[in-house]
Amino acid sequence: MTPTTSTATATTIPTGLPAPPFVWLASQSPRRQALLEQIGLRFALLLAGPEEDAEALEALRVGESPTQYVERVVLAKAQAARERLAARALPAAPILVADTTVAVGGKILGKPVDDADARRMLRLLSGRGHRVLTALAVVRGARIEHLVQVSRVRFARLSDAEVEAYVASGEPRGKAGGYAIQGRAAVFVRRIEGSHSGIMGLPLHETATLLRPELTATQRAGTAPQTTASPTPDDAR
């Protein structure tokens, strides 16, 4: 997939940040953090502060397709992250932003608002196929490169008991589509086509393509990945 480009300066590096080159990750998702560590990319967290309404960015708009939705949300998050970096006078480095949604046909399944909503989503996914769309954006100064990766997943038919047990586990909370493929929901999956890491929330092939210079430099240096939090949540998958 070819990234789309749409069109802040270095400061003294605070103690505790990874050695350059590193990237800012504008996500609190532990899965995205683990996936970046898996490929050896150094990163620091650039999380939304309490004054930011991160949930408002994810509100659905009437008539939006799933692709339009994830593209709009990831670009809005990218702009917010760029402004956050400048406001906190943090060192310039690429900012990685991601947003994931699940779609059945043209119907978008976001994060369940409660257990009843999670049950509704799981019953809708039961015995049928759906798409998982993850939009990525990388901010480099005034430029934003972005793309959308799409995977297809087919669930087995779920019994009421399986749905109830899964909801009771608490795992659907905060997950797009009400499930986590890296968790207990893995047993529901009959087939996937696309990127397993993309279904988790961060397609690694596309991420590595967008961040090739930083990843190559880190690998050449032969250093272990480092993670540092920038004071202060944003998305779960």
Side-chain angles (χ1 to χ4, degrees):
M1 244 169 298
T2 303
T4 304
T5 304
S6 52
T7 349
T9 60
T11 63
T12 303
I13 297 180
T15 57
L17 282 179
F22 71 95
V23 302
W24 293 106
L25 175 62
S27 171
Q28 69 169 357
S29 165
R31 285 149 297 281
R32 291 184 178 128
Q33 294 170 37
L35 287 166
L36 287 184
E37 290 171 352
Q38 179 181 324
I39 62 173
L41 189 64
R42 290 197 294 257
F43 64 93
L45 302 181
L46 182 65
L47 304 182
E51 73 285 357
E52 297 182 56
D53 189 356
E55 291 299 316
L57 298 179
E58 298 180 1
L60 295 174
R61 293 181 181 174
V62 177
E64 236 176 0
S65 72
T67 300
Q68 291 169 333
Y69 170 76
V70 290
E71 283 189 316
R72 174 181 60 79
V73 171
V74 83
L75 289 174
K77 288 183 176 182
Q79 179 60 32
R82 178 162 56 193
E83 293 171 0
R84 189 181 311 142
L85 187 75
R88 296 178 189 174
L90 292 168
I95 306 170
L96 175 63
V97 187
D99 188 73
T100 299
T101 198
V102 170
V104 177
K107 184 177 181 60
I108 296 170
L109 303 183
K111 300 167 188 172
V113 297
D114 54 25
D115 286 353
D117 197 30
R119 290 186 192 95
R120 177 188 66 83
M121 291 183 183
L122 291 165
R123 287 172 180 143
L124 183 61
L125 297 175
S126 174
R128 66 191 300 180
H130 61 272
R131 290 177 295 151
V132 181
L133 301 90
T134 295
L136 297 178
V138 171
V139 182
R140 297 179 189 275
R143 296 174 65 246
I144 301 177
E145 290 182 285
H146 69 282
L147 56 80
V148 177
Q149 191 278 330
V150 183
S151 296
R152 288 172 172 79
V153 182
R154 178 167 289 277
F155 268 23
R157 189 167 299 279
L158 308 180
S159 68
D160 288 343
E162 286 175 311
V163 170
E164 290 300 327
Y166 187 61
V167 171
S169 76
E171 194 171 270
R173 296 169 195 156
K175 311 295 193 307
Y179 77 93
I181 197 170
Q182 72 278 10
R184 298 184 184 186
V187 299
F188 303 155
V189 178
R190 294 189 62 186
R191 184 169 68 251
I192 69 169
E193 179 183 338
S195 168
H196 187 272
S197 58
I199 299 166
M200 289 175 63
L202 192 71
L204 289 180
H205 173 74
E206 289 80 2
T207 299
T209 299
L210 289 175
L211 292 171
R212 180 63 61 194
E214 291 73 26
L215 184 58
T216 299
T218 299
Q219 290 170 340
R220 283 177 178 166
T223 53
Q226 299 169 291
T227 310
T228 306
S230 166
T232 33
D234 136 358
D235 53 335
R237 172 167 78 170

